[in-house]
Amino acid sequence: MYLTEYINGHVHLEESDMCESDGKLFLNEAFSVIMEEILHKGTDSKEKVCEWKDPDQLRALLDLDLREHGESHEQLLQRVQDVARYSVKTCHPRFFNQLFAGVDYHALTGRLLTETLNTSQYTYEVAPVFVLMEEEVLRKLRSLVGWSEGDGIFCPGGSMSNMYAMNIARYWAFPQVKTQGLWATPRMAIFTSQQSHYSMKKAAAFLGIGTDNIFIVQADESGSMIPEDLEAKIMQAKSKDAVPFFVNATAGTTVQGAFDPLNHIADISERNGMSICMPLGEEACCFPKNTNICANATYLFQQDKFYDTSLDTGDKSIQCGRKVDCLKLWLMWKAIGTHGLSERVDKAFALARYLVEEMEKRENFKLVCKGHFVNVCFWFIPPSLRGKENSPDYQERLSKVAPVIKERMMKRGTMMVGYQPMDGHVNFFRMVVVSPQLTTKDMDFFLDEIEKLGKDL
Amino acid sequence: MYLTEYINGHVHLEESDMCESDGKLFLNEAFSVIMEEILHKGTDSKEKVCEWKDPDQLRALLDLDLREHGESHEQLLQRVQDVARYSVKTCHPRFFNQLFAGVDYHALTGRLLTETLNTSQYTYEVAPVFVLMEEEVLRKLRSLVGWSEGDGIFCPGGSMSNMYAMNIARYWAFPQVKTQGLWATPRMAIFTSQQSHYSMKKAAAFLGIGTDNIFIVQADESGSMIPEDLEAKIMQAKSKDAVPFFVNATAGTTVQGAFDPLNHIADISERNGMSICMPLGEEACCFPKNTNICANATYLFQQDKFYDTSLDTGDKSIQCGRKVDCLKLWLMWKAIGTHGLSERVDKAFALARYLVEEMEKRENFKLVCKGHFVNVCFWFIPPSLRGKENSPDYQERLSKVAPVIKERMMKRGTMMVGYQPMDGHVNFFRMVVVSPQLTTKDMDFFLDEIEKLGKDL
């Protein structure tokens, strides 16, 4: 009777509610917009990297309101145009604002394929290709860092990888934490450099350990952790009855790109009874086997399946549904090989070196430190401040230079680069050279543009 | 000199390392494969929902190994074909295996756009469109559950949403936990129904609370939490000096689709001093304002920016880089409106009801319980077991039926549906009716196919 009522209403159960061909047509047309507006114009250095609008202006332009009734094909296609137009083009050769940039067409293909297949990484039955692929990509990543065995997972970002690492170290030190919680353990101590990523604070808070139990280890001027201070901080923690269980060592700090002395830190950690995990890059985390995160959901991980259920790897994850993250990396790797990847790294280092060399030839630029990696941190010294290093308000005035230049570049849309203060250094720019599309011309443009934007300051 | 050496080597810094036009050509050709293999064949009920291969066979077919050198355009395109071919078609009208299914072309367009724009949701400067859009979508979601104010976030899945909710409830009860950790608080107690999702266990372990501090509340036969038992479990926890801080109420349990009595639970929680968070669906979590997750990273969230920095919302997240998740929902909502969304829900309910009515007409099917939602849980009773309910080995033999039928359907590739045991009930199927593409024909096919696959059992 319910069904009959329904059929007398407005929807027929004998019909699919969306015309497949309309849907495909929309997707095809939208894909053309994506190709033209993002991948063609968005990678063209003659076009803008961003189309700055104030939030109120942009709200009005986008008409974000969600209404009772749907819109027409044409209106929706215009929405796609608008989203593309007013979004930042992170694939643009002058986008230097974050630790990601550029576009790799094979990786992007992998991502579009992943999104269209729309599956979850938890069992072999729903993700046969990706369960095997993730296993292989992680094996390869472990071999790059010299591990012949172990386990791992792709996470939604580096901060989550860091949380996994901290959780695993905690379980390794005090396995009772999984069932009884932290009330059954002594107070624990985390060690991390003053230059480490802020995800350490979030992890300590989220895992119930508390940010006060992070012991901050000093870094040298280049941003690298000072091992002697690590030893001192471990002593200090022990004297307060906090048990050291986790040292976070960074290979490429967020701002300066510094490398902590990994071997030295590993020695100190082992001597103090700690284990080693390895959050790699932005998304993968490698860890020892048998870390026992699992919760054994019977509705997903039935043991009477007709295939080897050790392939149902979802229970390693703190997520249940988990997006596929291995395909983009796998397809890119297949496309250019380990050799091609290593060439990209070499090239990024060489371009960063080139940028530093060119900077040193110009009197308006002053390096914060010599770079180790692909980060180049520097102040732009505008004409009015040149030679005024000894004025009492020099630092105060210098701190205002980067925000003004940043505002101007965003409004012109010519490029994007980030700035920040750090440990007594006033605002400086952090240029990151990562996109494989970059050439020396982009480096030259970068320096010229900063000079142009700041010439009246 | 470093640069000169480099130029004398194999890579030239004056050239971008990838030919843009080759990359675009590859992407275009791969998109045609995606359209044909996934969206055309994959949604055609005459085609297979999966192409089952044993793991060893599949490993050999895929050639997953990552090598020193890259592959040709043609080989790579074949890789895309293979990934598409051997992956499960979750968009297929006979995919009933999980709590997701089908394809919405507007949502998919949003996802492809998101992936191509490749930005992170943390600041207005790199994600102007999406910061405003997320705000609007969350406001709309809150209004659906009757909240006129509040905050929220999109998370990588429902399990993470549950962890946010638990973390926020903990902070609300004991704000000192953020800095001092759980050692500065009394033991805490979590309450959740025996039918709730296994992410509760993972959350309790990950947040350092421990799975022993979860008090399991009984559910009735339909799967709904029994409020009287919640009260009893709260008393029990208090008698053990554990402070109740979190009740997990579910609207639509994982297996049976049961709804816990939300109002009744809310009353009990308030009387016992607990707050309310709202993980919604798979990805969004709504919570009260000022939950103070933030860690104040100076390199991202500079306070001297030229725009309103309250729009730099990244510090609400436990992630740093966070993918854009609002666009797919926003674009789908724009396309069909609130009205269209609600019609889809009505239709799914009506189809589930139709399925139950048809099942009741056939003697081979026995419902586990009357469904509340779009989950239909049932046993298939094969000919050899009909009328044998009183045999001593009936349950034992019945438990083996679902795994055999599942294996057969996977190998034929005709459809996919999950099974599981539960609380003294032996293996039964869980059919989930969610795809907007479904019609009564698909329901009829489902019943016929189960009968066909199990007719000799």
Side-chain angles (χ1 to χ4, degrees):
Chain A
M1 68 262 120
Y2 184 87
L3 179 66
T4 325
E5 279 168 35
Y6 201 76
I7 287 174
N8 292 337
H10 45 287
V11 173
H12 291 270
L13 299 184
E14 283 73 19
E15 283 166 25
S16 173
D17 88 333
M18 183 194 263
C19 177
E20 286 282 315
S21 58
D22 285 356
K24 282 176 193 147
L25 179 67
F26 183 79
L27 182 61
N28 259 317
E29 292 185 19
F31 186 72
S32 299
V33 174
I34 288 174
M35 286 301 289
E36 179 59 26
E37 296 299 319
I38 307 173
L39 296 171
H40 185 65
K41 287 194 200 159
T43 58
D44 181 348
S45 59
K46 292 183 292 299
E47 300 277 342
K48 286 182 173 185
V49 62
C50 62
E51 177 83 43
W52 172 261
K53 299 287 170 199
D54 285 326
D56 287 338
Q57 268 183 299
L58 186 56
R59 266 193 204 95
L61 284 166
L62 292 173
D63 175 29
L64 291 165
D65 199 20
L66 296 165
R67 306 201 178 81
E68 190 59 21
H69 290 283
E71 298 187 344
S72 69
H73 183 101
E74 288 66 33
Q75 267 179 306
L76 292 164
L77 217 51
Q78 184 59 46
R79 303 271 176 212
V80 172
Q81 285 270 7
D82 291 346
V83 168
R85 173 161 182 198
Y86 296 112
S87 286
V88 170
K89 307 304 179 296
T90 67
C91 52
H92 194 282
R94 273 80 194 255
F95 178 81
F96 309 110
N97 210 66
Q98 317 295 146
L99 294 165
F100 60 88
V103 57
D104 178 283
Y105 288 93
H106 296 103
L108 180 56
T109 298
R111 297 169 73 156
L112 302 194
L113 195 47
T114 296
E115 292 300 316
T116 311
L117 284 166
N118 191 33
T119 196
S120 176
Q121 183 83 48
Y122 33 52
T123 61
Y124 184 76
E125 76 187 65
V126 294
V129 171
F130 303 125
V131 163
L132 301 181
M133 189 180 280
E134 185 174 68
E135 184 182 81
E136 179 57 24
V137 175
L138 289 170
R139 198 192 59 71
K140 192 78 186 174
L141 288 173
R142 283 195 303 272
S143 80
L144 285 183
V145 292
W147 287 18
S148 59
E149 58 172 24
D151 203 341
I153 201 163
F154 277 85
C155 307
S159 297
M160 294 298 306
S161 288
N162 287 340
M163 282 195 194
Y164 268 93
M166 195 181 285
N167 182 55
I168 287 164
R170 179 172 70 174
Y171 180 78
W172 189 84
F174 299 102
Q176 70 270 32
V177 75
K178 187 179 172 189
T179 49
Q180 299 173 54
L182 289 166
W183 300 287
T185 73
R187 189 183 154 204
M188 299 183 199
I190 294 161
F191 303 87
T192 194
S193 127
Q194 61 182 123
Q195 292 302 329
S196 67
H197 192 254
Y198 74 115
S199 54
M200 281 295 117
K201 274 197 207 172
K202 287 185 171 179
F206 201 68
L207 268 64
I209 294 166
T211 51
D212 288 354
N213 292 313
I214 301 176
F215 290 76
I216 301 292
V217 182
Q218 284 172 23
D220 63 22
E221 210 167 288
S222 74
S224 178
M225 187 193 279
I226 300 172
E228 292 71 24
D229 195 52
L230 171 60
E231 301 223 56
K233 292 293 154 58
I234 290 175
M235 293 295 286
Q236 191 191 323
K238 286 179 172 174
S239 76
K240 292 179 175 173
D241 292 324
V243 179
F245 80 106
F246 185 75
V247 181
N248 171 53
T250 310
T253 58
T254 315
V255 176
Q256 287 172 287
F259 283 67
D260 289 339
L262 301 181
N263 288 333
H264 202 148
I265 291 172
D267 289 345
I268 297 171
S269 302
E270 267 181 50
R271 238 186 298 126
N272 287 280
M274 290 177 267
S275 81
I276 292 173
C277 292
M278 192 81 75
L280 290 170
E282 288 296 297
E283 290 197 328
C285 183
C286 295
F287 41 75
K289 279 199 170 165
N290 304 320
T291 49
N292 204 15
I293 288 176
C294 59
N296 305 317
T298 48
Y299 80 97
L300 267 178
F301 309 120
Q302 305 93 315
Q303 295 305 304
D304 52 6
K305 285 183 179 176
F306 65 97
Y307 59 86
D308 173 9
T309 54
S310 73
L311 290 167
D312 290 354
T313 48
D315 220 9
K316 277 194 306 202
S317 161
I318 56 167
Q319 295 164 276
C320 174
R322 180 163 64 93
K323 276 201 176 182
V324 171
D325 279 314
C326 56
L327 176 58
K328 60 188 176 202
L329 181 53
W330 183 82
L331 197 60
M332 178 172 80
W333 206 321
K334 278 285 189 194
I336 66 171
T338 309
H339 183 74
L341 290 171
S342 99
E343 274 193 345
R344 282 196 188 171
V345 174
D346 289 345
K347 187 181 167 195
F349 270 87
L351 277 176
R353 180 73 66 105
Y354 172 83
L355 183 69
V356 167
E357 287 173 359
E358 291 301 305
M359 232 173 230
E360 285 172 336
K361 292 180 194 159
R362 304 187 189 209
E363 57 183 348
N364 309 68
F365 294 90
K366 190 174 168 221
L367 288 164
V368 173
C369 65
K370 286 273 184 183
H372 304 255
F373 197 35
V374 292
N375 306 25
V376 179
C377 294
F378 68 91
W379 290 282
F380 173 73
I381 315 292
S384 71
L385 285 177
R386 224 169 291 153
K388 304 271 171 62
E389 291 79 2
N390 299 322
S391 309
D393 62 350
Y394 179 81
Q395 293 297 330
E396 165 75 17
R397 287 168 65 194
L398 183 59
S399 75
K400 295 190 170 129
V401 172
V404 172
I405 292 180
K406 176 67 178 261
E407 177 171 0
R408 290 177 178 178
M409 76 174 72
M410 293 283 291
K411 289 185 172 169
R412 281 167 54 99
T414 47
M415 64 184 192
M416 281 178 70
V417 62
Y419 71 86
Q420 63 284 299
M422 192 189 74
D423 295 334
H425 294 316
V426 299
N427 281 325
F428 57 87
F429 286 110
R430 178 195 66 171
M431 162 74 167
V432 192
V433 184
V434 285
S435 164
Q437 271 89 6
L438 296 177
T439 69
T440 50
K441 267 199 218 88
D442 299 302
M443 301 298 106
D444 295 337
F445 173 87
F446 178 81
L447 296 173
D448 293 344
E449 183 69 11
I450 294 263
E451 283 182 344
K452 198 186 288 177
L453 292 166
K455 69 171 188 287
D456 64 333
L457 294 177
Chain B
M1 68 267 115
Y2 183 89
L3 179 66
T4 325
E5 277 167 36
Y6 201 78
I7 287 175
N8 291 337
H10 45 285
V11 174
H12 290 272
L13 299 182
E14 283 73 19
E15 283 166 25
S16 175
D17 87 334
M18 182 193 263
C19 178
E20 286 281 315
S21 58
D22 285 356
K24 281 176 195 146
L25 180 67
F26 183 79
L27 182 61
N28 259 316
E29 294 186 14
F31 185 71
S32 300
V33 175
I34 289 173
M35 287 301 290
E36 179 60 25
E37 297 297 320
I38 309 173
L39 295 170
H40 184 63
K41 288 194 201 158
T43 57
D44 181 348
S45 59
K46 292 183 294 298
E47 300 277 342
K48 287 182 173 185
V49 63
C50 61
E51 177 84 40
W52 172 262
K53 298 288 170 198
D54 285 326
D56 287 339
Q57 269 182 298
L58 187 56
R59 268 195 203 94
L61 283 166
L62 291 173
D63 174 31
L64 292 166
D65 199 21
L66 296 165
R67 304 199 179 83
E68 189 61 20
H69 291 284
E71 298 186 345
S72 70
H73 182 100
E74 288 67 30
Q75 268 178 305
L76 292 164
L77 218 51
Q78 185 59 46
R79 304 272 176 212
V80 171
Q81 285 269 8
D82 292 345
V83 167
R85 174 160 181 200
Y86 297 111
S87 287
V88 170
K89 306 303 180 299
T90 67
C91 52
H92 194 282
R94 274 80 193 256
F95 178 81
F96 309 111
N97 210 66
Q98 316 294 146
L99 294 165
F100 60 89
V103 56
D104 179 283
Y105 288 94
H106 297 103
L108 180 56
T109 298
R111 295 170 74 159
L112 303 193
L113 195 47
T114 295
E115 291 300 317
T116 312
L117 285 166
N118 191 33
T119 196
S120 176
Q121 184 82 48
Y122 34 52
T123 61
Y124 184 77
E125 77 186 62
V126 295
V129 171
F130 304 124
V131 163
L132 301 182
M133 188 180 281
E134 183 174 66
E135 183 181 81
E136 180 58 24
V137 175
L138 288 170
R139 196 190 61 71
K140 192 78 185 176
L141 288 173
R142 283 195 304 272
S143 81
L144 285 182
V145 292
W147 287 19
S148 59
E149 58 170 24
D151 203 342
I153 201 162
F154 277 85
C155 305
S159 296
M160 294 299 307
S161 289
N162 288 340
M163 283 197 194
Y164 268 93
M166 194 181 284
N167 182 54
I168 288 164
R170 178 172 71 175
Y171 180 78
W172 189 83
F174 298 103
Q176 71 270 31
V177 75
K178 187 180 172 187
T179 50
Q180 298 172 56
L182 289 166
W183 301 285
T185 73
R187 188 182 154 207
M188 298 181 200
I190 294 160
F191 303 87
T192 194
S193 131
Q194 61 183 124
Q195 293 301 331
S196 67
H197 192 255
Y198 74 115
S199 55
M200 280 295 117
K201 275 198 206 170
K202 288 185 171 180
F206 201 69
L207 268 62
I209 294 165
T211 52
D212 288 354
N213 293 313
I214 301 177
F215 289 76
I216 302 291
V217 182
Q218 285 172 23
D220 62 22
E221 210 167 286
S222 74
S224 179
M225 187 192 281
I226 300 172
E228 292 72 22
D229 195 53
L230 171 61
E231 300 222 57
K233 292 292 155 58
I234 290 175
M235 293 295 286
Q236 191 192 322
K238 286 180 174 173
S239 76
K240 292 179 175 174
D241 292 325
V243 179
F245 82 106
F246 185 75
V247 181
N248 171 52
T250 310
T253 58
T254 314
V255 176
Q256 288 171 286
F259 282 67
D260 289 338
L262 300 182
N263 287 332
H264 202 146
I265 292 172
D267 289 346
I268 297 171
S269 302
E270 266 181 50
R271 240 187 295 124
N272 286 280
M274 291 177 266
S275 80
I276 292 173
C277 292
M278 193 80 76
L280 290 171
E282 287 297 294
E283 292 199 325
C285 183
C286 294
F287 41 76
K289 279 198 169 165
N290 304 318
T291 50
N292 204 15
I293 288 176
C294 61
N296 305 317
T298 47
Y299 80 98
L300 267 177
F301 310 118
Q302 305 92 316
Q303 296 306 304
D304 52 7
K305 285 182 178 178
F306 65 97
Y307 60 85
D308 173 7
T309 53
S310 73
L311 290 168
D312 291 354
T313 49
D315 221 9
K316 276 195 303 202
S317 162
I318 58 167
Q319 296 164 274
C320 174
R322 180 164 63 94
K323 275 201 176 182
V324 170
D325 280 312
C326 56
L327 176 58
K328 60 188 176 203
L329 181 53
W330 183 82
L331 198 59
M332 179 172 79
W333 206 322
K334 277 285 188 193
I336 66 172
T338 308
H339 184 73
L341 290 171
S342 100
E343 273 193 346
R344 283 196 187 172
V345 174
D346 288 345
K347 187 181 167 197
F349 270 88
L351 277 176
R353 180 70 67 106
Y354 172 82
L355 183 70
V356 166
E357 287 173 358
E358 291 301 305
M359 232 173 231
E360 286 171 336
K361 293 179 193 159
R362 304 187 189 209
E363 56 181 349
N364 309 68
F365 294 90
K366 192 176 167 221
L367 288 165
V368 173
C369 65
K370 287 272 187 184
H372 306 254
F373 196 35
V374 293
N375 306 27
V376 179
C377 294
F378 68 93
W379 289 281
F380 173 73
I381 317 291
S384 69
L385 284 179
R386 227 170 290 155
K388 305 271 172 62
E389 290 80 1
N390 299 320
S391 309
D393 63 349
Y394 179 81
Q395 294 297 330
E396 165 74 16
R397 288 169 66 195
L398 183 59
S399 75
K400 294 189 171 135
V401 172
V404 172
I405 293 181
K406 176 66 179 263
E407 177 172 359
R408 291 177 178 180
M409 79 174 71
M410 293 283 293
K411 289 185 173 170
R412 281 168 55 96
T414 46
M415 65 182 192
M416 282 179 70
V417 62
Y419 72 86
Q420 63 283 301
M422 191 189 74
D423 294 336
H425 294 317
V426 300
N427 282 325
F428 57 86
F429 287 109
R430 178 196 64 173
M431 162 74 169
V432 192
V433 185
V434 285
S435 163
Q437 271 89 6
L438 296 177
T439 69
T440 50
K441 268 198 219 89
D442 299 302
M443 301 298 105
D444 295 338
F445 173 88
F446 178 80
L447 296 172
D448 293 344
E449 184 69 11
I450 294 261
E451 284 182 343
K452 197 185 289 175
L453 291 166
K455 69 170 187 289
D456 64 333
L457 294 178

